[in-house]
Amino acid sequence: MAAGSVVARATGFARSAVVAAALGTIGPTADGYAVGNALPTIVYMLLLGGALNAVFVPELVRAAKEHADGERRTPTGSSPSASSPCWPSPRPRCGRRPRSSTRTRTTAAGRPP
């Protein structure tokens, strides 16, 4: 990891030295290159910063307010588990009301749960 970082820094310095030797450091050519190199980065950062402030930050604040421990919750408010049929699924079913029935539910042994 460290060796890769050193190589990347060295080749970046060599690239800058070659560009400076080819275009010079002062003049309209060097200025045009600097603007052409920096402008897309500036526009990208402005758009990305706006998207983060508009979408990610409000969602992060809402999640922090709703869940003090930061744990994900299902629509019923319980934590997702492997046995839960409603997390994750394309159509959550855990928010539905149980069917009304006059029969009492019993376990396999015939006793109420």
Side-chain angles (χ1 to χ4, degrees), residues 30-93:
D31 290 343
Y33 177 80
V35 169
N37 196 25
L39 191 64
T41 304
I42 292 169
V43 171
Y44 174 76
M45 290 304 291
L46 286 173
L47 292 176
L48 182 65
L52 281 175
N53 284 329
V55 176
F56 181 69
V57 173
E59 287 295 318
L60 186 63
V61 169
R62 182 179 62 83
K65 285 181 182 177
E66 288 181 6
H67 311 295
D69 60 354
E71 188 177 331
R72 292 189 305 173
R73 304 284 184 190
T74 61
T76 60
S78 62
S79 298
S81 66
S83 63
S84 174
C86 61
W87 191 275
S89 76
R91 282 185 10 189
R93 294 188 184 107

Side-chain angles (χ1 to χ4, degrees), residues 23-34:
L23 299 178
T25 56
I26 300 174
T29 307
D31 290 343
Y33 177 80

Side-chain angles (χ1 to χ4, degrees), residues 95-101 105:
R96 295 190 326 193
R97 291 181 6 186
R99 294 181 188 159
S100 61
S101 173
R105 291 180 52 203

